[in-house]
Every structure is written in C-alpha cells, then in structure tokens.
Amino acid sequence: MRETTPDLTRISKYISLILRHKPEVIGIQLDAHGWADVNALLAGISRKYPINRDILEEIVRSDEKQRYSFSEEGTKIRANQGHSIQVDVELPVTEPPETLYHGTAQRFAASIEVQGLLPQSRLYVHLSPDPETAEKVGQRHGKPVIYLVDAGQMHRDGYCFYLSANGVWLTKVVPATYLKRLKE
Ligand code: HQG
C-alpha cells in the first residue's frame, strides 16, 4: 500500500513560507500582528498537501523550534519569529543576558566585521542564547563561524532586545564594535 502519512517537515516548511514571508502563495493575508485564520490556512495548504486541523496541531506541537503559536481561542495561527514581512508579533522588550551568540557562514565574516550584523531580508537580526545553537544556525549557510555579541553593553547603550515566544533573541542591528569572533 502506498505511504499516505504526510511529510510533516515539508508541510511545516510551507507553513513557514506562508506565515513568515509569502501568505499570498495561498491567497491569504496576515493581520497586523501576524495572525492568519486557521481555516483559511488549512484550505490553502490542502490544495498542495494533505492537511487537517489535527495534522496542523501535531505540526505546531512537535515543531523542534516551536516556530508557531495558536491564538487563545485556536482560531488563528502565527509564526513566533523569523518574518520578512512587516508584522508586529508583540515581542516583549527584554533585558538580554550579558552575552548572546550569532552563528553565520565564514564567507560573510569580512562583511560582518565591517558592517556589523544587519537583518538582511528579515525584520531583525537573530541571536542565539548559547554557542551550540548558534553553530547550528551558522551551519545552514556553510562553514560556520560564531560571534559573541556583547548584549549587556548594547543594552546599557540603549539598544532594544526582544525575546520571541520560542527563545530566539532579536534586535534591529548589531554594530561591529559589539562583536567578537569566537576562536575556531
Ligand atoms: C548574515 C532559522 C553579510 C547573517 C535560525 C546570516 C534562525 C550578513 C544571513 C533564523 C551581514 C541572514 C534566522 C552583513 C548579517 N554582511 N552577511 N553585514 N549581517 N549577515 O537566514 O540568523 O529554522 O535571514 O549572519 O534558527 O541565519 O528558519 O538569518 O547568515 O533563528 O526557524 O546574513 O532562521 O530558524 O540569514 O537565521 P537569515 P539567520 P528557522
């Protein structure tokens, strides 16, 4: 018999695309706080992948990075962070730990050490709470390099930090003076 179990990772990647970057691929809109209507999302995805409410709940529950949240009533869903489109997911301004980490690829290092960290296509620069997580993020782009971010000093200098619902630290930019490359 043919395998009918849907590939949850593939569906999750499609949900990330819709909820962070391109809701228009299924003809929906996000509201100002990044919420999509669950029924509209299910209807849109089902044109491409087998999905229903139970499968969506399973994806949200089991996601290893806890990328998505349902609204309290369960009628809406949004990505916790990672957007490139202009939405306000009501991230709380939070005092950061003294040190945060950013993992990237070695080929970006020269530019980063001049320009600092820029959000590129996303709304924020993404920072990790520990070097292990930063290394995994960096590996997505190539041979990883990890930067220590002097978040405590940035905070004292007036930079705002936000903590997403899934533990990713976000800030608008990190000037190069607050970066230190971790020895490889
Ligand atoms: C780099 C994943 C040159 C930056 C992860 C990064 C994360 C520069 C790339 C989340 C630069 C952007 C975000 C500069 C920054 N010159 N390169 N001045 N400033 N860069 O994917 O942080 O699985 O937009 O270092 O876990 O890698 O999608 O950001 O390499 O939390 O849920 O520009 O994505 O989560 O890449 O990853 P990205 P990111 P998900």
Side-chain angles (χ1 to χ4, degrees), residues 16-17 19-23 81-87 102 108 115-126 140-141 170-173:
S16 272
L17 173 77
L19 295 182
R20 288 172 167 175
H21 310 296
K22 291 186 169 182
Q81 40 71 228
H83 299 81
S84 56
I85 46 179
Q86 196 66 47
V87 294
H102 181 83
F108 299 145
Q115 298 181 332
L117 292 171
L118 303 174
Q120 310 290 41
S121 66
R122 306 198 196 235
L123 298 182
Y124 297 98
V125 170
H126 289 224
R140 292 160 52 249
H141 299 287
L170 303 162
T171 192
K172 267 293 171 199
V173 291

Side-chain angles (χ1 to χ4, degrees), residues 158-176:
Y159 289 87
C160 273
F161 288 79
Y162 307 88
L163 183 56
S164 74
N166 58 342
V168 178
W169 286 89
L170 303 162
T171 192
K172 267 293 171 199
V173 291
V174 178

Side-chain angles (χ1 to χ4, degrees), residues 50-123:
I51 189 151
N52 57 33
R53 170 109 204 174
D54 286 348
I55 295 172
L56 182 63
E57 283 181 7
E58 169 67 12
I59 289 170
V60 172
R61 195 190 53 72
S62 64
D63 186 88
E64 92 270 34
K65 289 191 186 170
Q66 291 295 297
R67 291 178 176 88
Y68 320 107
S69 293
F70 285 109
S71 60
E72 260 172 45
E73 327 74 59
T75 55
K76 295 186 284 183
I77 184 170
R78 70 180 173 192
N80 289 323
Q81 40 71 228
H83 299 81
S84 56
I85 46 179
Q86 196 66 47
V87 294
D88 173 12
V89 293
E90 303 150 292
L91 296 166
V93 175
T94 309
E95 185 175 338
E98 276 300 311
T99 307
L100 286 168
Y101 301 85
H102 181 83
T104 186
Q106 276 187 0
R107 67 181 186 284
F108 299 145
S111 161
I112 287 171
E113 285 164 27
V114 174
Q115 298 181 332
L117 292 171
L118 303 174
Q120 310 290 41
S121 66
R122 306 198 196 235
L123 298 182

Side-chain angles (χ1 to χ4, degrees), residues 8-54:
L8 296 191
T9 304
R10 187 175 292 190
I11 302 176
S12 178
K13 289 205 164 143
Y14 194 47
I15 294 173
S16 272
L17 173 77
I18 296 164
L19 295 182
R20 288 172 167 175
H21 310 296
K22 291 186 169 182
E24 67 272 15
V25 296
I26 57 162
I28 65 166
Q29 288 190 335
L30 309 184
D31 75 10
H33 299 299
W35 294 111
D37 180 76
V38 170
N39 289 333
L41 181 75
L42 290 173
I45 294 172
S46 66
R47 295 201 293 269
K48 198 168 158 113
Y49 297 108
I51 189 151
N52 57 33
R53 170 109 204 174
D54 286 348

